[in-house]
Amino acid sequence: WFGEGERTLFLFYLFSTSFKMVKSVQVFGRKKNATAVALCREGHGLAKVNGQPLELIQPATLREKVLEPFNILGKDKFAEVDIRVRVKGGGHVAQIYAIRQAIAKSLVAYYQKFVDEASKKQIKDLLLQYDRTLLVADPRRCEPKKFGGAGARARYQKSYR
């Protein structure tokens, strides 16, 4: 069929057309022991957490926290990207805060890598102005318990007789 050089060219053409480079970034958000990993890729404005749409996140009061990045920046910024989030560890509230941080950081990273620096800076400034924890992780952790007391700092009551 082909000579050696033609065969190599044909295979290169075949692979280059079938594997289109997808614009995507992977970013994590953390709160206490909860870790959320957001995959942000070019798409049609789809947003899911553990395979479920954001509208199904329970409880409803915390759903508003997850939707904050969308409300601050407007739906138009998210119109050309799909965001899929995987979250595990921690409790309900910690997971919600990890999700919202992952979503916000992923959009900033996507805009930095594939759009332009000016719009990325505008998005970052809006998010930081609203709430710093949307982009910066909270370093506080649970302090371990010590001996001689019920918890990390509390001591057993002292008695003299």
Side-chain angles (χ1 to χ4, degrees):
W1 278 43
F2 298 112
E4 188 58 40
E6 292 167 334
R7 185 169 163 240
T8 309
L9 264 173
F10 175 73
L11 288 174
F12 176 73
Y13 172 76
L14 191 71
F15 282 116
S16 64
T17 53
S18 60
F19 295 111
K20 188 181 152 218
M21 282 297 289
V22 180
K23 295 179 180 176
S24 69
V25 289
Q26 194 171 15
V27 183
F28 64 88
R30 284 208 176 112
K31 172 78 174 168
K32 291 180 164 181
N33 286 331
T35 304
V37 180
L39 181 66
C40 183
R41 54 170 51 168
E42 60 181 339
H44 312 290
L46 185 77
K48 290 191 172 189
V49 174
N50 287 348
Q52 292 188 323
L54 297 180
E55 292 75 40
L56 296 180
I57 288 178
Q58 290 297 329
T61 51
L62 290 174
R63 187 181 310 140
E64 292 303 314
K65 278 298 206 193
V66 171
L67 295 174
E68 274 177 2
F70 297 92
N71 297 337
I72 296 162
L73 302 171
K75 299 273 189 214
D76 58 316
K77 291 276 195 266
F78 291 89
E80 66 271 0
V81 295
D82 288 347
I83 298 178
R84 286 191 165 81
V85 184
R86 301 185 316 270
V87 63
K88 59 181 176 183
H92 296 298
V93 177
Q95 281 193 352
I96 294 291
Y97 277 85
I99 291 166
R100 75 197 277 264
Q101 187 182 80
I103 289 171
K105 282 172 70 175
S106 70
L107 192 74
V108 169
Y110 183 87
Y111 268 70
Q112 181 177 10
K113 194 169 180 184
F114 300 113
V115 186
D116 64 333
E117 196 66 29
S119 55
K120 171 243 165 181
K121 183 158 176 32
Q122 181 187 15
I123 289 171
K124 195 172 177 179
D125 290 343
L126 276 170
L127 292 170
L128 285 172
Q129 184 182 346
Y130 181 79
D131 185 1
R132 190 165 182 268
T133 58
L134 280 166
L135 295 177
V136 182
D138 187 354
R140 295 177 296 173
R141 294 290 177 268
C142 188
E143 191 177 337
K145 181 198 177 301
K146 284 90 176 177
F147 56 86
R153 298 290 175 100
R155 299 294 101 203
Y156 294 131
Q157 190 169 324
K158 196 167 162 184
S159 170
Y160 290 104
R161 71 182 71 173

